[in-house]
C-alpha cells in the first residue's frame, strides 16, 4: 500500500478538465512540498509539478496543482489525447526520512 | 544537458545480490545540495523510493528495505551504485535513478532498467 493515496483512475473528454487528488498525512504532505510526475508506459517519469504548484520549463500551463493541509491535487484543463498517462504524486516524509509516492492515477482521455 | 543512465543485469536468481549502476552527466555529485535517488516500479504497481545519497555522502534508505540496500558513489566516475541483497521474485521491477535537487525534487530521471528475478 502506498503512503500517499490517489484514485486509481480518472477520465475526461477532450477539451474538458480533470482533477486528480493525492492524500497524505502531517509527516509528508502536511509539512513538505508535493511533486507530480507524468509517466507513459515504458518511459521514465517526467517531473510535471514541483514545490506544490511550480511548473518546470516546457510544461504547459494546462497543468496546475495545489495543496491544502494534508492533501494535494493536480488539475489538467483542455484535455488532449496526449495527456493520457499515469500521474504520480510524491512528497518527502519526515517520519520515514525518505520519499513517498502515491499509487498513481491512470488518466483516460475519452 | 543532464542525463542519467542505469545499467546492470536484466536477470538475477533468487537469493542473489543485485548491483545497479547509475552513470550521470551534466552535474556533479560533489556540489552542495545534490543527490541521486533510486526508485523502482514493479509491473502494474506504484513507484517505490529505495535509497538516496547526497553530495556529502549522507545516505537515506527505505525503512522497509534498509537491511538489504547499500548505496554508494564514485565521484571520479560520476556514478552511484545500489546493491540489493537476497533478491526475490517480488523484486522484479524497472529500476530508475534520478537526480535529487533538494526542494526542487527528483527532477531528471534515467530511462530505467528492467530486472527480473527468476530461477
Amino acid at each position: 500500500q502506498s503512503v500517499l493515496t490517489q484514485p486509481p483512475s480518472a477520465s475526461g473528454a477532450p477539451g474538458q478538465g480533470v482533477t486528480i487528488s493525492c492524500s497524505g498525512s502531517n509527516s509528508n504532505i502536511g509539512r513538505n512540498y508535493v511533486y507530480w510526475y507524468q509517466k507513459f508506459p515504458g518511459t521514465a517519469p517526467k517531473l510535471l509539478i514541483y514545490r506544490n504548484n511550480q511548473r518546470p520549463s516546457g510544461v504547459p500551463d494546462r497543468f496546475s496543482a495545489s495543496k491544502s493541509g494534508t492533501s494535494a491535487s493536480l488539475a489538467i484543463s483542455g484535455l488532449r489525447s496526449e495527456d493520457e498517462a499515469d500521474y504520480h504524486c510524491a512528497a518527502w516524509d519526515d517520519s520515514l526520512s525518505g520519499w513517498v509516492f502515491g499509487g498513481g492515477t491512470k488518466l483516460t482521455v475519452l | 544537458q543532464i542525463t542519467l543512465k542505469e545499467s546492470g543485469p536484466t536477470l538475477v536468481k533468487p537469493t542473489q545480490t543485485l548491483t545497479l549502476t547509475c552513470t550521470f552527466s551534466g552535474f556533479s555529485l560533489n556540489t552542495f545540495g545534490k543527490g541521486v535517488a533510486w526508485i523502482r516500479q514493479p509491473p502494474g504497481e506504484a513507484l517505490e523510493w529505495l535509497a538516496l545519497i547526497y553530495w556529502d555522502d549522507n545516505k537515506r534508505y527505505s525503512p522497509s528495505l534498509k537491511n538489504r540496500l547499500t548505496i554508494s558513489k564514485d565521484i571520479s566516475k560520476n556514478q552511484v551504485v545500489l546493491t540489493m541483497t537476497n533478491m526475490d521474485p517480488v523484486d522484479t521491477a524497472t529500476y530508475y535513478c534520478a537526480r535529487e535537487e533538494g526542494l526542487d525534487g527528483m527532477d531528471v530521471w534515467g530511462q530505467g532498467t528492467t530486472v527480473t528475478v527468476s530461477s
Side-chain angles (χ1 to χ4, degrees):
Chain A
Q1 298 285 27
S2 300
V3 174
L4 306 181
T5 301
Q6 296 181 238
S9 64
S11 63
Q16 286 189 336
V18 68
T19 300
I20 297 170
S21 62
C22 176
S23 178
S25 67
N26 284 327
S27 64
N28 42 66
I29 293 179
R31 292 184 199 159
N32 298 301
Y33 288 123
V34 178
Y35 304 79
W36 290 91
Y37 295 90
Q38 179 187 56
K39 189 179 185 305
F40 298 100
T43 68
K46 171 190 171 184
L47 182 64
L48 206 59
I49 297 287
Y50 67 102
R51 297 200 190 207
N52 296 338
N53 55 19
Q54 303 298 301
R55 285 186 307 275
S57 61
V59 173
D61 59 7
R62 300 186 297 104
F63 295 89
S64 63
S66 62
K67 180 186 115 169
S68 178
T70 58
S71 294
S73 62
L74 172 71
I76 309 171
S77 63
L79 278 172
R80 299 182 176 185
S81 58
E82 57 260 38
D83 297 332
E84 195 162 283
D86 293 329
Y87 293 85
H88 302 261
C89 60
W92 182 264
D93 191 294
D94 289 339
S95 297
L96 300 176
S97 290
W99 290 96
V100 292
F101 287 93
T105 298
K106 182 177 181 61
L107 174 64
T108 300
V109 180
L110 302 169
Chain B
Q1 183 188 6
I2 296 162
T3 64
L4 302 97
K5 186 172 184 179
E6 307 85 352
S7 59
T10 57
L11 179 66
V12 297
K13 290 180 168 47
T15 75
Q16 285 187 335
T17 294
L18 171 69
T19 299
L20 294 174
T21 301
C22 175
T23 304
F24 56 88
S25 63
F27 69 98
S28 176
L29 198 43
N30 62 2
T31 301
F32 178 87
K34 294 289 189 287
V36 171
W38 283 96
I39 307 97
R40 69 180 179 181
Q41 185 176 34
E45 297 186 27
L47 294 168
E48 178 185 18
W49 172 77
L50 302 176
L52 171 59
I53 189 165
Y54 289 107
W55 64 283
D56 59 357
D57 213 39
N58 218 334
K59 300 164 188 174
R60 296 286 185 266
Y61 295 102
S62 166
S64 62
L65 293 167
K66 182 176 183 178
N67 292 338
R68 299 173 53 204
L69 296 174
T70 302
I71 192 170
S72 62
K73 60 182 172 62
D74 186 330
I75 298 295
S76 65
K77 294 181 180 178
N78 275 357
Q79 290 181 336
V80 170
V81 175
L82 180 76
T83 62
M84 180 180 290
T85 61
N86 195 25
M87 293 292 285
D88 183 272
V90 300
D91 297 312
T92 294
T94 298
Y95 288 74
Y96 299 95
C97 62
R99 184 180 77 160
E100 201 233 52
E101 273 283 89
L103 295 180
D104 287 345
M106 293 174 285
D107 62 342
V108 183
W109 295 53
Q111 62 190 25
T113 186
T114 300
V115 178
T116 301
V117 184
S118 174
S119 55

